[in-house]
Amino acid sequence: MSEARNPKSVRLAVAQTPVREDPRDVEALRESGREVRALMREAGAQGARIVHFPEGAICFPSKLVMSVDGPDAVGPADWDRCRWPVLRSELAAIAELARELRLWTVIPSVHRLSGPNRPHNSLYVISDGGEVVTRYDERLLSKTKVSYMYSPGVSPVTFEVDGVRFGCLLGMEIHYPELFAEYEKLDVGCVLFSTSGTPGNTAAQAQGHATVNSYWVSLSVPSQHNAPSGIVAPNGDWLARCRADGSPSVAVVNLDDSSEAAADAVTYGRPWRREARSGIYSEHQVSDPRSEDRTAAF
């Protein structure tokens, strides 16, 4: 019940940006960086303390562009095709702006590893001091990603802003409720999920995960996605959505556990589910032949 007695609040911005797929295209990488920084400034102007971007905000490398067997067949990715210095310079500029704006920034990108190892598909968490304080690496990858493109991550990641704990998920992980349940056990107040697009009704799944876990879910998707980015409250309602016209934009909302959209779920729903899972029913179970006989009539 600590959440109810000491409600926490932080102002979160969720973004949608165009996603480009060719990491060889220097100007496209630069343009993506400029668009991200423009939305960071917009989020900061609206008082956000943290801004959350979609998978591929700088670039989402196409499996065909990267394939050694491409462009007509999928094969092992040739990561030497990526313009790594340009990617790093754009991320460094984003980190510097985060410091200038005093704005926590969660930005997906490819994370290069050593030697022959494939990179991770990652979410960088940049503090309001401009430092990378942690990084989430996608764990449950698509078949193509794990077969040809990326090394999977191994663990959940949490971080805190103004007393609110966040968890991170990425890619197609919206389809795995056990990952969202894992973050509930880690006592997060909000899960940040970034995707470049994944099969199914992603928005409905985000609402479901928020509702059954009684926490906030931020869904960040590309601007060309069929539904806009947004933030779901612990009661399952959308509290903020980006523009539905496919343009780059941000939506900003206070994640306030004492608000009407959160208070009941946080005060009653979440604590009760934790209690219900703790084994409280065993002392009430009975030994009765009419209970054990599944064919007993009426």
Side-chain angles (χ1 to χ4, degrees), residues 57-119:
I58 303 298
C59 183
F60 183 68
S62 164
K63 59 188 177 184
L64 294 174
V65 168
M66 303 304 291
S67 171
V68 297
D69 300 324
D72 300 317
V74 178
D78 177 8
W79 284 103
D80 288 337
R81 298 177 182 180
C82 180
R83 298 299 181 95
W84 291 106
V86 179
L87 179 61
R88 285 195 296 268
S89 69
E90 292 304 313
L91 291 168
I94 289 167
E96 174 59 22
L97 184 59
R99 184 192 64 79
E100 292 176 14
L101 297 175
R102 304 301 296 175
L103 177 68
W104 286 74
T105 302
V106 180
I107 181 78
S109 184
V110 180
H111 179 72
R112 196 174 193 179
L113 300 184
S114 306
N117 295 316
R118 295 173 183 164

